[in-house]
Amino acid sequence: MVIFTDFKNAVMPADKIVIECINKYKPKSIFLREKDADDKEYMALAKKIIPICMQNNVELFICHRYQIAKELGVKNFHTNINNLSKIDSKNCFDKISVSIHNEKEVKIAEKLFATNLVFGHIFETDCKVGLTPRGLKQLEKICDIATIPVMAIGGINSNNYKLVLQNGAIDFAIMSSAMKLTF
């Protein structure tokens, strides 16, 4: 399991929710998402979260903010397929995670040195209201053609997470349920 943060919907302050999530869920990684934060806020959050992750042996991924990741020396980076080609990622990071949405994007990400893919949304989720989920069959197709690990995201909960693993995902991500401690 990995956790994507969304602190505006968290039930407690950022540093406390990260500690609670680590203790409760034992995630392999935390992806510092925080789309609503400006760079200054994001930097401050990252500086709070880095030592927590280090003390608990949890990987931290900086999401979308290439310069901040470089400045802080964080060696794991997550971005979307459109921004991947705009950065010199292969020389800066140990792990490069890329959000993809279709089979074409799988091949692009692999050519641009992605080390893993995040595919979603799999199930209905409050984060993507009104958008049709991609579903398990599409997840299976993506996993079949990918030569690097695929992680599933979107609407995954304690009742359905095994389905994404059974359909080829190497792992799964949670966000809303993590920020509310309800997974």
Side-chain angles (χ1 to χ4, degrees), residues 55-74:
Q55 290 166 2
N56 290 281
N57 201 28
V58 173
E59 296 177 317
L60 176 68
F61 281 76
I62 296 293
C63 295
H64 309 295
R65 302 185 196 224
Y66 176 74
Q67 292 301 331
I68 290 175
K70 282 178 54 177
E71 186 175 331
L72 293 174
V74 175

Side-chain angles (χ1 to χ4, degrees), residues 9-179:
N9 291 314
V11 294
M12 57 186 66
D15 52 343
K16 302 237 184 299
I17 196 76
V18 168
I19 292 167
E20 287 296 316
C21 283
I22 288 172
N23 290 333
K24 186 172 183 176
Y25 303 123
K26 312 287 188 246
K28 180 172 65 177
S29 307
I30 300 220
F31 286 64
L32 189 59
R33 182 173 171 264
E34 302 317 307
K35 288 183 175 182
D36 296 330
D38 64 27
D39 284 349
K40 185 177 178 182
E41 293 167 321
Y42 191 96
M43 178 72 87
L45 286 168
K47 286 180 178 178
K48 280 185 182 179
I49 305 306
I50 288 169
I52 296 168
C53 288
M54 289 177 73
Q55 290 166 2
N56 290 281
N57 201 28
V58 173
E59 296 177 317
L60 176 68
F61 281 76
I62 296 293
C63 295
H64 309 295
R65 302 185 196 224
Y66 176 74
Q67 292 301 331
I68 290 175
K70 282 178 54 177
E71 186 175 331
L72 293 174
V74 175
K75 292 296 188 179
N76 302 318
F77 185 68
H78 174 79
T79 192
N80 60 43
I81 194 71
N82 295 326
N83 290 329
L84 182 60
S85 63
K86 298 174 187 171
I87 60 173
D88 182 22
S89 55
K90 73 174 183 166
N91 296 319
C92 297
F93 302 108
D94 295 337
K95 294 185 179 178
I96 304 162
S97 172
V98 180
S99 293
I100 55 104
H101 303 96
N102 58 52
E103 293 145 18
K104 180 182 174 189
E105 291 177 353
V106 170
K107 295 306 171 192
I108 294 168
E110 289 175 340
K111 285 180 186 173
L112 293 174
F113 308 105
T115 56
N116 75 281
L117 305 171
V118 178
F119 178 72
H121 65 290
I122 306 303
F123 304 107
E124 284 189 25
T125 174
D126 291 340
C127 297
K128 306 280 184 186
V129 175
L131 291 176
T132 303
R134 291 188 169 83
L136 293 169
K137 288 196 184 302
Q138 187 64 23
L139 172 64
E140 186 175 32
K141 282 183 190 177
I142 294 294
C143 293
D144 284 346
I145 67 163
T147 61
I148 58 177
V150 176
M151 181 173 29
I153 192 169
I156 298 171
N157 60 44
S158 58
N159 296 319
N160 63 22
Y161 77 94
K162 289 180 183 175
L163 294 172
V164 299
L165 300 174
Q166 291 166 355
N167 281 275
I170 195 95
D171 208 344
F172 63 94
I174 61 173
M175 186 171 66
S176 299
S177 61
M179 296 297 99

